[in-house]
CSV table of all heavy atoms in Angstrom, one decimal:
chain,number,residue,atom,x,y,z
A,55,PRO,N,-31.1,-22.9,32.9
A,55,PRO,CA,-31.7,-21.7,33.5
A,55,PRO,C,-32.4,-21.9,34.8
A,55,PRO,O,-32.6,-21.0,35.5
A,55,PRO,CB,-32.6,-21.2,32.4
A,55,PRO,CG,-33.0,-22.4,31.6
A,55,PRO,CD,-31.8,-23.3,31.7
A,56,VAL,N,-32.9,-23.1,35.1
A,56,VAL,CA,-33.8,-23.4,36.2
A,56,VAL,C,-33.2,-24.3,37.2
A,56,VAL,O,-33.4,-24.2,38.4
A,56,VAL,CB,-35.2,-23.9,35.7
A,56,VAL,CG1,-36.0,-24.2,36.9
A,56,VAL,CG2,-35.8,-22.8,34.9
A,57,GLN,N,-32.5,-25.4,36.7
A,57,GLN,CA,-32.1,-26.5,37.6
A,57,GLN,C,-31.3,-26.0,38.8
A,57,GLN,O,-31.5,-26.6,39.9
A,57,GLN,CB,-31.3,-27.5,36.8
A,57,GLN,CG,-31.1,-28.8,37.6
A,57,GLN,CD,-30.5,-29.9,36.7
A,57,GLN,OE1,-30.7,-29.9,35.5
A,57,GLN,NE2,-29.7,-30.7,37.3
A,58,GLY,N,-30.4,-25.0,38.7
A,58,GLY,CA,-29.6,-24.6,39.8
A,58,GLY,C,-30.4,-24.0,40.9
A,58,GLY,O,-30.1,-24.1,42.1
A,59,PHE,N,-31.6,-23.3,40.6
A,59,PHE,CA,-32.5,-22.8,41.6
A,59,PHE,C,-33.2,-23.9,42.3
A,59,PHE,O,-33.8,-23.6,43.4
A,59,PHE,CB,-33.5,-21.8,41.0
A,59,PHE,CG,-32.8,-20.5,40.5
A,59,PHE,CD1,-32.5,-20.4,39.2
A,59,PHE,CD2,-32.5,-19.5,41.4
A,59,PHE,CE1,-32.0,-19.2,38.7
A,59,PHE,CE2,-32.0,-18.3,40.9
A,59,PHE,CZ,-31.7,-18.2,39.6
A,60,LEU,N,-33.2,-25.1,41.8
A,60,LEU,CA,-33.9,-26.2,42.4
A,60,LEU,C,-33.0,-27.3,43.0
A,60,LEU,O,-33.5,-28.2,43.6
A,60,LEU,CB,-34.8,-26.9,41.3
A,60,LEU,CG,-35.9,-26.0,40.7
A,60,LEU,CD1,-36.6,-26.7,39.6
A,60,LEU,CD2,-37.0,-25.6,41.8
A,61,ASP,N,-31.7,-27.1,42.9
A,61,ASP,CA,-30.7,-28.0,43.4
A,61,ASP,C,-30.4,-27.7,44.8
A,61,ASP,O,-29.5,-26.9,45.1
A,61,ASP,CB,-29.5,-28.0,42.5
A,61,ASP,CG,-28.5,-29.1,42.8
A,61,ASP,OD1,-28.5,-29.6,44.0
A,61,ASP,OD2,-27.7,-29.5,41.9
A,62,MET,N,-31.1,-28.3,45.7
A,62,MET,CA,-31.0,-27.9,47.1
A,62,MET,C,-29.6,-28.2,47.7
A,62,MET,O,-29.1,-27.4,48.5
A,62,MET,CB,-32.1,-28.6,48.0
A,62,MET,CG,-32.1,-30.1,47.9
A,62,MET,SD,-33.5,-30.8,48.8
A,62,MET,CE,-34.8,-30.5,47.6
A,63,HIS,N,-29.0,-29.3,47.3
A,63,HIS,CA,-27.7,-29.6,47.8
A,63,HIS,C,-26.6,-28.6,47.3
A,63,HIS,O,-25.7,-28.2,48.0
A,63,HIS,CB,-27.3,-31.1,47.4
A,63,HIS,CG,-28.1,-32.1,48.1
A,63,HIS,ND1,-27.9,-32.5,49.4
A,63,HIS,CD2,-29.2,-32.8,47.6
A,63,HIS,CE1,-28.8,-33.4,49.7
A,63,HIS,NE2,-29.6,-33.6,48.7
A,64,GLN,N,-26.7,-28.2,46.0
A,64,GLN,CA,-25.8,-27.2,45.5
A,64,GLN,C,-25.9,-25.9,46.2
A,64,GLN,O,-24.9,-25.3,46.6
A,64,GLN,CB,-26.1,-27.0,44.0
A,64,GLN,CG,-25.2,-26.0,43.4
A,64,GLN,CD,-25.4,-25.8,41.9
A,64,GLN,OE1,-24.7,-25.1,41.2
A,64,GLN,NE2,-26.5,-26.4,41.3
A,65,ILE,N,-27.2,-25.5,46.6
A,65,ILE,CA,-27.4,-24.3,47.3
A,65,ILE,C,-26.9,-24.3,48.7
A,65,ILE,O,-26.2,-23.4,49.1
A,65,ILE,CB,-28.9,-23.9,47.2
A,65,ILE,CG1,-29.3,-23.6,45.8
A,65,ILE,CG2,-29.2,-22.8,48.2
A,65,ILE,CD1,-30.8,-23.4,45.6
A,66,VAL,N,-27.2,-25.4,49.4
A,66,VAL,CA,-26.7,-25.5,50.8
A,66,VAL,C,-25.2,-25.6,50.8
A,66,VAL,O,-24.5,-25.0,51.7
A,66,VAL,CB,-27.3,-26.7,51.5
A,66,VAL,CG1,-26.7,-27.0,52.8
A,66,VAL,CG2,-28.8,-26.5,51.7
A,67,ASP,N,-24.6,-26.4,49.9
A,67,ASP,CA,-23.1,-26.4,49.8
A,67,ASP,C,-22.5,-25.1,49.6
A,67,ASP,O,-21.5,-24.7,50.2
A,67,ASP,CB,-22.7,-27.4,48.8
A,67,ASP,CG,-23.0,-28.9,49.1
A,67,ASP,OD1,-23.2,-29.1,50.3
A,67,ASP,OD2,-22.9,-29.7,48.2
Side-chain angles (χ1 to χ4, degrees):
V56 175
Q57 190 173 330
F59 290 99
L60 297 173
D61 189 335
M62 60 185 77
H63 291 283
Q64 181 178 186
I65 291 171
V66 170
D67 289 346

